[in-house]
Amino acid sequence: MNNVSSYDVVIIGAGSIGVPAALAAAQAGVKVLVLDQFASSGQGSNKAAIGGIRATHSDPAKIRLCLRSLEIVKTWKETYGHNIEWTTGGYSFVVYGDKEEQTLKGLLEVQHAYGLNIDWHDKEELLAIIPDLNRDGLIGGTFSPEDGYCSTLLLGHALYDAAKTAGATFRFNEPVAKILVNDGRIRGVATSTGRYEAPVVINAAGPWARQVGELVGLDHPVRPDSHEGGITEPVAHFLDPMVVDIRPAPGSANYYFFQLATGQVVFCITPSPNIWGEDRRETSDFLPMVARRMVDLMPRLKNIRVRRTWRGLYPMSPDGSPLVGWSREVEGYLMAIGMCGQGFMLGPGLGDLLARAVTEDELDEKDQEVLDILSPYREFAGMETLK
């Protein structure tokens, strides 16, 4: 090794969590280094995200983090100058069955308690919001008008650019080979080309978080699950909200789609059963499966041509919620892992929280609630309802 440098924090992973955490930390005056195994930022799972950001979760921690994410992205252009194509189009969970109606109505009490603007709409009210839904069997659905979506690639670049401007250092094509620990404390990290001293290491390695944990002797319960998405040709605007159908069907647990500001329809499906592993090659099963479901829900989609599909990795935890917090075994090791495919929407808000944790600013009651709920040492039970 021919290089030794000192930092306040080393972040492993330049993706949905690592880059916004670097931005917030650098803005707080922290000397931060981000290391990534790939050639540029966002080349892991971040670029596979479809771009939705919603606060309408059923988990209070995710609600709080995503409310902050929405604040950041909605004001991004005014604050930083980048056009990220943010659209406040809302989210709609559509309902064609009694079970889904009962589930979504049951969540409204919790969502309203946390200040979310979301309500139930009966069939005709929902059709006024989304006129092209299939009317046959439609009961209604929820609609949250303050949620929305943006360009994944534009926001990813904007966060990276802002983090560099704030003083964060990025080094690419440099996987971490060793995390340096002495007397139970983090001392830094080593790669094939350098050694970087730091008292704090943040694991934001997404699907590869478990391998990073092994470097400090921990076995993180995070493993990657493959999901596919796609995008159509651009067409004239006809759809405002992100549409989510939570009905299970053979091969899929749910699916969702929306129309970008530039006219393309972006879509994704949640496979059932899970497809474990790191295979990111597209399959021949995905498009026929999701196309049938989408056209049945919205017949207008049948003549739109698909331009491309892709596959990304969801770093899954046992209960569908992230693991965020300091290690009890190794002082200075901070986990921000297991985002379960929601890192893009959680990232800006979580980056702020991680920066406060690192700078030891006083964490308020809301911050502490988030950390308690997402503690890596919690008992895993069940799965978040709107996962």
Side-chain angles (χ1 to χ4, degrees):
M1 296 183 187
N2 53 21
N3 178 34
V4 178
S5 303
S6 296
Y7 294 88
D8 298 320
V9 179
V10 172
I11 299 173
I12 302 175
S16 298
I17 307 303
V19 176
L23 169 59
Q27 289 176 331
V30 175
K31 187 179 181 183
V32 57
L33 169 68
V34 185
L35 295 171
D36 198 278
Q37 62 182 313
F38 296 111
S40 61
S41 64
Q43 295 303 306
S45 290
N46 178 262
K47 69 177 182 181
I50 67 171
I53 300 178
R54 61 178 167 95
T56 49
H57 297 274
S58 58
D59 176 81
K62 290 184 180 180
I63 290 172
R64 294 211 186 281
L65 291 173
C66 286
L67 282 173
R68 177 57 182 145
S69 290
L70 285 168
E71 288 178 6
I72 292 170
V73 297
K74 285 181 177 180
T75 59
W76 187 274
K77 187 174 182 180
E78 292 75 18
T79 305
Y80 297 98
H82 308 91
N83 178 19
I84 60 173
E85 295 179 359
W86 171 256
T87 302
T88 308
Y91 263 68
S92 179
F93 287 75
V94 299
V95 170
Y96 287 82
D98 294 338
K99 181 180 178 181
E100 288 75 29
E101 178 182 9
Q102 192 174 25
T103 296
L104 292 171
K105 284 184 174 179
L107 294 175
L108 289 175
E109 184 177 351
V110 173
Q111 293 169 333
H112 288 160
Y114 280 83
L116 296 181
N117 180 10
I118 179 172
D119 285 297
W120 173 266
H121 297 268
D122 289 330
K123 176 178 179 177
E124 295 304 324
E125 293 176 335
L126 193 64
L127 286 169
I129 298 169
I130 315 172
D132 294 302
L133 288 174
N134 188 339
R135 301 178 64 94
D136 294 341
L138 178 64
I139 297 173
T142 59
F143 178 56
S144 50
E146 294 177 14
D147 295 328
Y149 39 84
C150 63
S151 165
T152 307
L153 298 182
L154 289 177
L155 178 58
H157 174 74
L159 285 162
Y160 170 63
D161 186 67
K164 287 197 303 178
T165 300
T169 300
F170 290 81
R171 295 185 65 88
F172 297 109
N173 290 320
E174 199 163 340
V176 173
K178 187 176 182 180
I179 297 179
L180 308 173
V181 179
N182 188 23
D183 292 331
R185 294 175 55 90
I186 292 289
R187 302 299 180 183
V189 303
T191 71
S192 61
T193 57
R195 172 176 167 170
Y196 308 99
E197 296 177 347
V200 173
V201 167
I202 299 177
N203 183 347
W208 302 278
R210 192 167 200 159
Q211 291 93 314
V212 171
E214 291 171 353
L215 298 177
V216 292
L218 299 178
D219 184 15
H220 298 318
V222 175
R223 57 175 176 160
D225 169 34
S226 295
H227 288 236
E228 288 186 75
I231 188 169
T232 73
E233 63 185 340
V235 295
H237 180 78
F238 69 96
L239 179 63
D240 289 325
M242 171 89 75
V243 177
V244 186
D245 185 353
I246 62 173
R247 290 176 292 176
S252 62
N254 57 62
Y255 65 102
Y256 37 98
F257 60 92
F258 69 99
Q259 187 176 23
L260 286 165
T262 46
Q264 302 96 322
V265 175
V266 184
F267 51 93
C268 187
I269 204 165
T270 300
S272 179
N274 300 74
I275 304 172
W276 301 113
E278 298 181 12
D279 192 344
R280 292 194 284 174
R281 296 172 297 177
E282 300 96 316
T283 71
S284 59
D285 297 328
F286 165 66
L287 193 54
M289 183 189 303
V290 71
R292 280 192 295 268
R293 297 201 67 180
M294 289 172 63
V295 171
D296 178 67
L297 182 69
M298 190 172 286
R300 179 174 181 165
L301 296 170
K302 66 182 179 180
N303 293 320
I304 300 179
R305 293 172 294 188
V306 175
R307 284 282 173 84
R308 69 181 181 95
T309 62
W310 63 88
R311 197 174 185 186
L313 303 178
Y314 279 23
M316 297 299 296
S317 72
D319 62 1
S321 289
L323 311 178
V324 180
W326 293 102
S327 168
R328 295 173 182 172
E329 297 84 1
V330 182
E331 186 176 348
Y333 178 67
L334 181 57
M335 291 160 273
I337 59 178
M339 297 298 131
C340 301
Q342 296 176 335
F344 182 81
M345 66 177 71
L346 291 166
L350 182 54
D352 269 11
L353 176 57
L354 294 171
R356 289 193 294 277
V358 166
T359 57
E360 298 184 352
D361 283 352
E362 185 175 350
L363 299 178
D364 62 21
E365 185 178 334
K366 294 179 180 179
D367 284 340
Q368 197 56 56
E369 179 188 33
V370 171
L371 292 173
D372 289 344
I373 292 171
L374 301 182
S375 169
Y377 300 95
R378 67 183 182 268
E379 291 187 12
F380 300 110
M383 182 73 70
E384 188 207 358
T385 304
L386 291 187
K387 174 64 196 75

